[in-house]
Short mmCIF file of all heavy atoms in Angstrom, two decimals:
data_model
loop_
_atom_site.label_atom_id
_atom_site.label_comp_id
_atom_site.label_asym_id
_atom_site.label_seq_id
_atom_site.Cartn_x
_atom_site.Cartn_y
_atom_site.Cartn_z
N ASP A 140 77.98 74.15 79.55
CA ASP A 140 79.19 73.36 79.32
C ASP A 140 79.65 73.53 77.87
O ASP A 140 78.83 73.75 76.97
CB ASP A 140 78.93 71.88 79.60
CG ASP A 140 78.65 71.61 81.08
OD1 ASP A 140 79.26 72.31 81.92
OD2 ASP A 140 77.82 70.74 81.37
N PHE A 141 80.94 73.39 77.65
CA PHE A 141 81.49 73.53 76.30
C PHE A 141 82.83 72.80 76.26
O PHE A 141 83.52 72.67 77.28
CB PHE A 141 81.68 75.00 75.93
CG PHE A 141 82.57 75.76 76.88
CD1 PHE A 141 83.93 75.88 76.65
CD2 PHE A 141 82.05 76.34 78.03
CE1 PHE A 141 84.75 76.57 77.52
CE2 PHE A 141 82.86 77.03 78.92
CZ PHE A 141 84.23 77.14 78.66
N PRO A 142 83.22 72.30 75.10
CA PRO A 142 84.52 71.61 74.99
C PRO A 142 85.66 72.63 74.91
O PRO A 142 85.49 73.73 74.39
CB PRO A 142 84.38 70.83 73.68
CG PRO A 142 83.43 71.65 72.87
CD PRO A 142 82.46 72.25 73.84
N PHE A 143 86.82 72.26 75.43
CA PHE A 143 87.98 73.13 75.31
C PHE A 143 89.25 72.29 75.45
O PHE A 143 89.24 71.21 76.04
CB PHE A 143 87.96 74.23 76.38
CG PHE A 143 88.08 73.74 77.80
CD1 PHE A 143 89.32 73.63 78.42
CD2 PHE A 143 86.94 73.39 78.53
CE1 PHE A 143 89.42 73.18 79.73
CE2 PHE A 143 87.04 72.94 79.83
CZ PHE A 143 88.28 72.84 80.44
N THR A 144 90.32 72.79 74.88
CA THR A 144 91.64 72.18 75.02
C THR A 144 92.62 73.24 75.47
O THR A 144 92.50 74.41 75.09
CB THR A 144 92.13 71.55 73.70
OG1 THR A 144 92.18 72.57 72.68
CG2 THR A 144 91.20 70.43 73.25
N PHE A 145 93.57 72.83 76.29
CA PHE A 145 94.55 73.79 76.78
C PHE A 145 95.84 73.05 77.12
O PHE A 145 95.89 71.83 77.19
CB PHE A 145 94.02 74.50 78.03
CG PHE A 145 94.08 73.68 79.29
CD1 PHE A 145 95.10 73.86 80.21
CD2 PHE A 145 93.12 72.70 79.55
CE1 PHE A 145 95.16 73.09 81.37
CE2 PHE A 145 93.17 71.94 80.69
CZ PHE A 145 94.20 72.13 81.61
N LYS A 146 96.87 73.84 77.34
CA LYS A 146 98.16 73.33 77.81
C LYS A 146 98.72 74.35 78.78
O LYS A 146 98.18 75.46 78.93
CB LYS A 146 99.12 73.12 76.64
CG LYS A 146 99.48 74.42 75.91
CD LYS A 146 100.39 74.16 74.71
CE LYS A 146 100.69 75.48 73.99
NZ LYS A 146 101.53 75.26 72.78
N GLN A 147 99.77 73.98 79.47
CA GLN A 147 100.49 74.91 80.34
C GLN A 147 101.85 75.19 79.74
O GLN A 147 102.48 74.31 79.14
CB GLN A 147 100.65 74.35 81.75
CG GLN A 147 99.37 74.39 82.57
CD GLN A 147 99.62 74.00 84.02
OE1 GLN A 147 100.23 72.97 84.29
NE2 GLN A 147 99.17 74.82 84.95
N CYS A 148 102.30 76.42 79.89
CA CYS A 148 103.65 76.76 79.43
C CYS A 148 104.23 77.82 80.36
O CYS A 148 103.50 78.49 81.11
CB CYS A 148 103.64 77.24 77.99
SG CYS A 148 103.10 78.94 77.76
N THR A 149 105.54 77.97 80.31
CA THR A 149 106.23 78.99 81.09
C THR A 149 106.88 79.99 80.15
O THR A 149 107.57 79.60 79.20
CB THR A 149 107.31 78.35 81.98
OG1 THR A 149 106.69 77.43 82.88
CG2 THR A 149 108.05 79.42 82.79
N LEU A 150 106.62 81.26 80.38
CA LEU A 150 107.24 82.33 79.61
C LEU A 150 108.27 83.03 80.49
O LEU A 150 107.93 83.52 81.57
CB LEU A 150 106.20 83.32 79.11
CG LEU A 150 105.16 82.77 78.12
CD1 LEU A 150 104.16 83.86 77.74
CD2 LEU A 150 105.83 82.21 76.88
N ALA A 151 109.50 83.05 80.02
CA ALA A 151 110.58 83.64 80.81
C ALA A 151 110.79 85.12 80.52
O ALA A 151 111.58 85.78 81.19
CB ALA A 151 111.89 82.88 80.54
N GLY A 152 110.08 85.64 79.56
CA GLY A 152 110.22 87.05 79.22
C GLY A 152 109.56 87.36 77.90
O GLY A 152 109.01 86.49 77.23
N GLY A 153 109.60 88.62 77.53
CA GLY A 153 109.00 89.07 76.28
C GLY A 153 108.30 90.40 76.49
O GLY A 153 108.21 90.92 77.61
N VAL A 154 107.84 90.96 75.40
CA VAL A 154 107.21 92.27 75.45
C VAL A 154 106.01 92.31 74.51
O VAL A 154 106.01 91.67 73.46
CB VAL A 154 108.22 93.39 75.07
CG1 VAL A 154 108.68 93.24 73.62
CG2 VAL A 154 107.66 94.77 75.32
N LEU A 155 104.98 93.03 74.93
CA LEU A 155 103.86 93.36 74.06
C LEU A 155 104.09 94.79 73.58
O LEU A 155 104.19 95.71 74.39
CB LEU A 155 102.53 93.27 74.80
CG LEU A 155 102.21 91.95 75.51
CD1 LEU A 155 100.84 92.04 76.18
CD2 LEU A 155 102.25 90.78 74.55
#
Side-chain angles (χ1 to χ4, degrees):
D140 294 325
F141 58 93
F143 65 92
T144 59
F145 77 100
K146 63 183 179 182
Q147 285 188 309
C148 78
T149 299
L150 296 178
V154 64
L155 305 181

